[in-house]
Amino acid sequence: MANYSTNEFKGGLKVMLDGDPCNILENEFVKPGKGQAFSRVKLRNLNTGRVWERTFKSGESLEGADVMDLDMEYVYSDGDMWHFMKTDGTFEQYAVDKKAIGDVEKWLKEQAVYTVTLWNDNAIAVSPPNFLELEVVETDPGLKGDTAQGGSKPAKLSSGAVVRVPLFINQGEILKIDTRSGEYVSRA
Amino acid sequence: MTPISDSDDWQPTASIETLRERARLMAGIRFFFAVRDVLEVETPILGHGGSTDPHLDSLSLDATTSNGRERLWLQTSPEFHMKRLLAAGSGAIFQLARSFRDGEIGRRHNLEFTMLEWYRPGFSLIDLIDECELLIREVLPVDPGPLRQRRYRDLFRETLDIDPFITSLEILRQRAEEIGRLSMGDTDRDGCLDLLMSLAIEPQLGRNGIDVVVDYPASQAALARKHRDPEDGAGVASRFEIYLQGLELANGYDELTDAAEQAARFLNDNLQRESLGKPTVDIDRRLIAALEHGMPAGSGVALGVDRLIQLALGKDSIAEVMAFPSPRC
């Protein structure tokens, strides 16, 4: 992989740091009046999801990371691993382990398309689509006529996530959910 | 026909309304100096000599002149040419000069930018700080709060509990590594202090008014005179920097007028550049000649106009007050 110098650091660039692949989130050029310049960089460690703040001397470089984001369809879980399939017609499958699936486990729906991050051809992270349509499998009975009032109650969805929904929602309904905030958007 | 580009990056990053405001503020700056009888001058952007400052990287180009093919340097500030005018007897002068610094791009930096530089023969540093304050207050639409002078040394003592002049290099490196989360390797004292200044001190400056930092370490004197710290006789640079809302706005000197000392600093800068693996820069021998002839004692300051406009208009990035920042030029 190529090396990238601090002046090439920008949001979205994938680099290796301390042996982990990282995604650069922000790079701020700082320089006191007459002195040496530095780059103040925020990076997300793609293995752990944690955000690191590091400073580099201007002109230092990092090795690029062989990281790719690919669209893949969720197929099934065998209990230990979660299996995804490329959507480019090759039917190639990737197994994702518990660590890489992380919190996304509660947003899995067969045939929905996820972004799977590969590092050296291994899946290290999965992100769900921004919106998913999921069925309510468990909630208190809906309050008839209550379509405008505020107030909410918990509902368990088919993927396992629990979200707050309006009081009028019933079990068996399909809802549109924003996976980024975990909030109810509308009836699907 | 296929379009050559389908992107919209031909568009200016500043709104036309902002450019109007910018023009109005620039006119105000010119008026400020006109009423004080400070002469506006225009000096070349290109020079046979460039800035040797180890931490400024100059751009250069090859040009055909009456001397044939030769290398010319894009000026990092109009300082050298303006000092030659002072030596020639210009009296007080100011300039709004396009300046160039390689590699400096960011939220508060652009490869080329507008420097407001002015020189006041006979002014002490304090006189010039006062004049800077008046200008800043005139340009900003809201009161920036009171002006405070802060000694470089005291800032480090208060913020980091270290004395930048005395603390051992080992401890300076340790603190810099802690705060910057990086390896400082064999970085020298000034490198460590620069990092601590940028990361731990600067962001807090100018939050409750205008902060003017004075008495920098002698090793950071650049083109300023030096004097002794009355506290213990440590050498300090007769230099100030003005900060507002965490932004470094201006850098002023009690100007060095000693030609031999100036020449020695240039040579030393180039040695430092070599040790940093940077190319050396041609020394401006005409500036040295002008100093030998004699430049009146006085103070001068360079102020980043784009940043001042950023503050005046409440814009978050320098790109928002420039028509076409370097990525779009």
Side-chain angles (χ1 to χ4, degrees), chain B residues 125-136:
Chain B
L125 267 191
I126 302 298
D127 296 335
L128 191 58
I129 291 172
D130 288 345
E131 192 164 64
C132 286
E133 184 185 0
L134 286 175
L135 174 81
I136 291 168

PDB file of all heavy atoms in Angstrom, chain B residues 125-136:
ATOM      1  N   LEU B 125       7.145  48.508  21.013  1.00  0.00           N
ATOM      2  CA  LEU B 125       6.206  47.383  20.867  1.00  0.00           C
ATOM      3  C   LEU B 125       4.854  47.737  21.474  1.00  0.00           C
ATOM      4  O   LEU B 125       3.806  47.405  20.931  1.00  0.00           O
ATOM      5  CB  LEU B 125       6.745  46.133  21.563  1.00  0.00           C
ATOM      6  CG  LEU B 125       7.552  45.139  20.731  1.00  0.00           C
ATOM      7  CD1 LEU B 125       7.762  43.870  21.529  1.00  0.00           C
ATOM      8  CD2 LEU B 125       6.877  44.807  19.404  1.00  0.00           C
ATOM      9  N   ILE B 126       4.895  48.414  22.633  1.00  0.00           N
ATOM     10  CA  ILE B 126       3.653  48.771  23.325  1.00  0.00           C
ATOM     11  C   ILE B 126       2.815  49.727  22.465  1.00  0.00           C
ATOM     12  O   ILE B 126       1.595  49.561  22.342  1.00  0.00           O
ATOM     13  CB  ILE B 126       3.956  49.441  24.692  1.00  0.00           C
ATOM     14  CG1 ILE B 126       4.791  48.496  25.560  1.00  0.00           C
ATOM     15  CG2 ILE B 126       2.669  49.843  25.409  1.00  0.00           C
ATOM     16  CD1 ILE B 126       4.123  47.191  25.922  1.00  0.00           C
ATOM     17  N   ASP B 127       3.487  50.716  21.847  1.00  0.00           N
ATOM     18  CA  ASP B 127       2.755  51.650  20.969  1.00  0.00           C
ATOM     19  C   ASP B 127       2.042  50.869  19.868  1.00  0.00           C
ATOM     20  O   ASP B 127       0.904  51.153  19.503  1.00  0.00           O
ATOM     21  CB  ASP B 127       3.717  52.627  20.263  1.00  0.00           C
ATOM     22  CG  ASP B 127       4.445  53.539  21.251  1.00  0.00           C
ATOM     23  OD1 ASP B 127       3.906  53.769  22.348  1.00  0.00           O
ATOM     24  OD2 ASP B 127       5.556  54.012  20.907  1.00  0.00           O
ATOM     25  N   LEU B 128       2.762  49.878  19.316  1.00  0.00           N
ATOM     26  CA  LEU B 128       2.206  49.136  18.180  1.00  0.00           C
ATOM     27  C   LEU B 128       1.069  48.215  18.626  1.00  0.00           C
ATOM     28  O   LEU B 128       0.075  48.058  17.920  1.00  0.00           O
ATOM     29  CB  LEU B 128       3.308  48.350  17.474  1.00  0.00           C
ATOM     30  CG  LEU B 128       2.894  47.757  16.125  1.00  0.00           C
ATOM     31  CD1 LEU B 128       2.420  48.830  15.162  1.00  0.00           C
ATOM     32  CD2 LEU B 128       4.053  46.976  15.494  1.00  0.00           C
ATOM     33  N   ILE B 129       1.219  47.631  19.821  1.00  0.00           N
ATOM     34  CA  ILE B 129       0.132  46.802  20.357  1.00  0.00           C
ATOM     35  C   ILE B 129      -1.134  47.655  20.491  1.00  0.00           C
ATOM     36  O   ILE B 129      -2.231  47.232  20.127  1.00  0.00           O
ATOM     37  CB  ILE B 129       0.525  46.158  21.714  1.00  0.00           C
ATOM     38  CG1 ILE B 129       1.607  45.092  21.494  1.00  0.00           C
ATOM     39  CG2 ILE B 129      -0.697  45.551  22.405  1.00  0.00           C
ATOM     40  CD1 ILE B 129       2.221  44.531  22.764  1.00  0.00           C
ATOM     41  N   ASP B 130      -0.947  48.883  20.989  1.00  0.00           N
ATOM     42  CA  ASP B 130      -2.094  49.805  21.127  1.00  0.00           C
ATOM     43  C   ASP B 130      -2.759  50.054  19.767  1.00  0.00           C
ATOM     44  O   ASP B 130      -3.985  50.070  19.652  1.00  0.00           O
ATOM     45  CB  ASP B 130      -1.646  51.153  21.705  1.00  0.00           C
ATOM     46  CG  ASP B 130      -1.285  51.052  23.177  1.00  0.00           C
ATOM     47  OD1 ASP B 130      -1.645  50.025  23.795  1.00  0.00           O
ATOM     48  OD2 ASP B 130      -0.640  51.983  23.698  1.00  0.00           O
ATOM     49  N   GLU B 131      -1.931  50.264  18.736  1.00  0.00           N
ATOM     50  CA  GLU B 131      -2.497  50.561  17.424  1.00  0.00           C
ATOM     51  C   GLU B 131      -3.220  49.330  16.852  1.00  0.00           C
ATOM     52  O   GLU B 131      -4.278  49.460  16.232  1.00  0.00           O
ATOM     53  CB  GLU B 131      -1.410  51.045  16.448  1.00  0.00           C
ATOM     54  CG  GLU B 131      -2.000  51.635  15.190  1.00  0.00           C
ATOM     55  CD  GLU B 131      -0.992  52.463  14.394  1.00  0.00           C
ATOM     56  OE1 GLU B 131       0.008  51.891  13.914  1.00  0.00           O
ATOM     57  OE2 GLU B 131      -1.186  53.684  14.270  1.00  0.00           O
ATOM     58  N   CYS B 132      -2.643  48.151  17.085  1.00  0.00           N
ATOM     59  CA  CYS B 132      -3.303  46.912  16.640  1.00  0.00           C
ATOM     60  C   CYS B 132      -4.684  46.794  17.288  1.00  0.00           C
ATOM     61  O   CYS B 132      -5.668  46.430  16.645  1.00  0.00           O
ATOM     62  CB  CYS B 132      -2.497  45.676  17.054  1.00  0.00           C
ATOM     63  SG  CYS B 132      -1.010  45.415  16.100  1.00  0.00           S
ATOM     64  N   GLU B 133      -4.714  47.107  18.590  1.00  0.00           N
ATOM     65  CA  GLU B 133      -5.973  47.001  19.320  1.00  0.00           C
ATOM     66  C   GLU B 133      -7.027  47.926  18.712  1.00  0.00           C
ATOM     67  O   GLU B 133      -8.180  47.524  18.503  1.00  0.00           O
ATOM     68  CB  GLU B 133      -5.754  47.333  20.801  1.00  0.00           C
ATOM     69  CG  GLU B 133      -7.016  47.144  21.637  1.00  0.00           C
ATOM     70  CD  GLU B 133      -6.855  47.582  23.088  1.00  0.00           C
ATOM     71  OE1 GLU B 133      -5.750  48.044  23.461  1.00  0.00           O
ATOM     72  OE2 GLU B 133      -7.845  47.473  23.830  1.00  0.00           O
ATOM     73  N   LEU B 134      -6.602  49.171  18.400  1.00  0.00           N
ATOM     74  CA  LEU B 134      -7.542  50.127  17.798  1.00  0.00           C
ATOM     75  C   LEU B 134      -8.090  49.590  16.476  1.00  0.00           C
ATOM     76  O   LEU B 134      -9.293  49.653  16.206  1.00  0.00           O
ATOM     77  CB  LEU B 134      -6.843  51.467  17.537  1.00  0.00           C
ATOM     78  CG  LEU B 134      -6.547  52.334  18.758  1.00  0.00           C
ATOM     79  CD1 LEU B 134      -5.738  53.553  18.349  1.00  0.00           C
ATOM     80  CD2 LEU B 134      -7.869  52.750  19.429  1.00  0.00           C
ATOM     81  N   LEU B 135      -7.185  49.036  15.658  1.00  0.00           N
ATOM     82  CA  LEU B 135      -7.605  48.523  14.353  1.00  0.00           C
ATOM     83  C   LEU B 135      -8.603  47.368  14.519  1.00  0.00           C
ATOM     84  O   LEU B 135      -9.651  47.338  13.874  1.00  0.00           O
ATOM     85  CB  LEU B 135      -6.390  48.050  13.539  1.00  0.00           C
ATOM     86  CG  LEU B 135      -6.778  47.382  12.226  1.00  0.00           C
ATOM     87  CD1 LEU B 135      -7.083  48.413  11.154  1.00  0.00           C
ATOM     88  CD2 LEU B 135      -5.701  46.431  11.716  1.00  0.00           C
ATOM     89  N   ILE B 136      -8.259  46.444  15.408  1.00  0.00           N
ATOM     90  CA  ILE B 136      -9.127  45.274  15.612  1.00  0.00           C
ATOM     91  C   ILE B 136     -10.514  45.722  16.078  1.00  0.00           C
ATOM     92  O   ILE B 136     -11.536  45.253  15.582  1.00  0.00           O
ATOM     93  CB  ILE B 136      -8.483  44.293  16.612  1.00  0.00           C
ATOM     94  CG1 ILE B 136      -7.239  43.649  15.978  1.00  0.00           C
ATOM     95  CG2 ILE B 136      -9.477  43.219  17.057  1.00  0.00           C
ATOM     96  CD1 ILE B 136      -6.362  42.884  16.937  1.00  0.00           C
TER      97      ILE B 136
END
